[in-house]
Amino acid sequence: MRDNPDKSSIKARRWLKAAAWVVGVAVFLFVGLFFFTIWMQHRLERMVAAQSKGVYRLHLHGLETSPFLGSLSVDSLILKPDHERWQQLSKQGQKVPRTLLELRTGTINLRKLSYTRAFLKQEVRLDELVVQQPTLLLSVMQADTTPAHQPLHETAEGFLQGLAIGKINVRQANLYYRDGTAPDTLFSLRSFQLAVDDFRLDSASFLAKGRAYYGKKYKLAGANAHVLFPDEFYKLSTDSINVDTQAGELLLQSIKIVPLAEPAAMARAKGEAVTHQEAEAAQVWLKGIDFGEHSRHNTVRVKYALLQSPTLTAFKDKQNFQDKGRKKLPHELVQSIKTPFLIDSLELKSGYIRYAELVPEAAERGHITFHHLNAGFSNISNIKGQVTREKPTIVKASTKVMDRALLEVTIRLPLLDENGFHTLEGTIGETNLQMLNPILMPTGFVRVESGHVTRGKFRVELNKAQANGSMHLHYNNLKLDLLTKGTGGEQSFGKKVLSKVADKVAIKDSNPSKGEKPRQGTITVTRDPGKSVFSYWKDCLSSGFMSSMGLEGMAEQ
């Protein structure tokens, strides 16, 4: 009977020993993990400082690690640049980053992180990275003078080499971009979500056809984006932005371009007459974007682009300010773009334009409007061989001038032509010419008393210096009044006499005239390089109108 208590006590002692070992191991692991966490936090912070030569300081708060589960979490992270240290290294001629970044985050979670590989091979591989509420500020400290850039995987150092992450989820993020330490940001994107699948920072992923920017798929959804134009006179904003690299799509909703100064203030700042503009569009949608081509070769290729319901209001004060400088043709603008690009087709739907100007000696502004503007663009590119005279960029547009006269135009633009060669041809629908008085009276000091166009067509060949072409305009019952400048539409006695003489002697009141064949008007324009391409095209139509009416030489006056 005595053996049983002895056996029970032996078992109890064994269980106690086992429990003590378990508790001891647990305490050891807990203490070890505690000190490991502290050691790891200090190591990471020291490593960032050392590898950046003191340019960056990393602060981790609430770091928790679990090597057995392969997890790591941080309550918050702050990565802050030292601008004075950057300046010091730059003056010493040492290699410094062109762009500095400042990062603040909420919770960060890493799942299934290989600690062994990270410490022994210095390779970071994990299944998932989740970042909550990060705010990233990018400051451009130096101009980019590098002729060609190396891929990221070739310049990556330290733990970034071979970085592989199964899934990346960035939630409620904010991004800001500025020039140096200026208080105003050039670009911002707020409240965006970013999801990335299978990110691998290596050469194979860089070259893989099914990938872009080292990942299989990027999906971004953001709101309240804005871009400050380089001259700081305009700001572009959008209510939302969505990007899907796998679907090859970019969608912008409710885009606005807003001037940040009044017309006179803008003209004074630039020292010349400027076109003060305000624009918006319901939607910009790009489909068939080859993101992989852009990530590998910095080439932009888009199958289709849609500009939905754009509106543009513009005003130019020529009375108080003078045109200066040289305006570029579309050819020169396209040729100045360094990044190779190709847009197969672009569609503009349901547009509206209102242009107004104040000319010398005018009492008020003149204006012209273009309603129901629809246009199709094809083969827009700056790639050699893609655009030629035989295969130009083609624009086909239709609109109602002053919401009355139908105007249809086809423009052929060999955008790489060094001489700026292009052609315009189109048709003019039936209309009453009095509808042009809002632009003719305040800017040309001419009033149409009567006149009816039944139809018209024109064709012009243009280059950077001059334009020549023809116009066939059928009209009848044309009567014009010459107005006295600065009166807001009044006629002096002299102007009344001249109007009568012009109607009787110079102006042909119809085409064709009774008993005659239809006349052909000639278009002859010497380009004013200080005016925009739209003014150049307008001068061509004016020349054809004036010539058809027997008033050759008056278009440019």
Side-chain angles (χ1 to χ4, degrees), residues 35 97 145 218 265 312 354 472:
F35 284 106
T145 58
Y218 285 73
L312 171 66
R354 186 183 194 277
H472 296 268

Side-chain angles (χ1 to χ4, degrees), residues 351-365:
Y352 168 79
I353 297 174
R354 186 183 194 277
Y355 175 76
E357 67 179 28
L358 182 66
V359 302
E361 299 185 73
E364 60 184 359
R365 299 178 181 184

Side-chain angles (χ1 to χ4, degrees), residues 44 59 67 124 144-145 169 184 196 241-242 249 254 256 302 315 328 357 382 391 397 433 501 519 523 536 547:
L44 288 172
H59 302 282
V124 176
D144 186 5
T145 58
N169 283 291
D184 295 327
V196 183
I241 176 171
N242 290 271
E249 294 188 359
S254 187
K256 295 181 180 179
V302 180
F315 166 66
K328 293 182 178 181
E357 67 179 28
N382 63 351
K391 191 173 63 172
L433 283 174
V501 172
R519 298 184 305 278
I523 296 174
Y536 191 19
S547 175

Side-chain angles (χ1 to χ4, degrees), residues 37 60 74 123 132 150 161 172 193 265 311 313 398 413 509 528:
T37 300
L60 301 173
V74 177
E123 289 182 352
Q132 301 280 1
Q150 290 180 282
Q161 291 180 322
Q172 294 179 295
Q193 322 294 323
T311 65
T313 57
S398 67
L413 289 154
D509 63 0
D528 181 349

Side-chain angles (χ1 to χ4, degrees), residues 287-305:
K287 298 197 292 185
I289 306 171
D290 193 336
F291 286 101
E293 181 74 6
H294 181 259
S295 68
R296 287 185 290 274
H297 305 297
N298 195 36
T299 298
V300 176
R301 293 181 182 271
V302 180
K303 291 290 185 184
Y304 173 79

Side-chain angles (χ1 to χ4, degrees), residues 294-332:
H294 181 259
S295 68
R296 287 185 290 274
H297 305 297
N298 195 36
T299 298
V300 176
R301 293 181 182 271
V302 180
K303 291 290 185 184
Y304 173 79
L306 169 66
L307 185 58
Q308 181 66 50
S309 305
T311 65
L312 171 66
T313 57
F315 166 66
K316 193 169 189 178
D317 184 352
K318 296 182 178 181
Q319 187 176 92
N320 300 297
F321 303 94
Q322 291 184 341
D323 284 316
K324 294 180 181 179
R326 182 179 177 278
K327 303 299 187 293
K328 293 182 178 181
L329 292 177
H331 308 66
E332 297 167 289

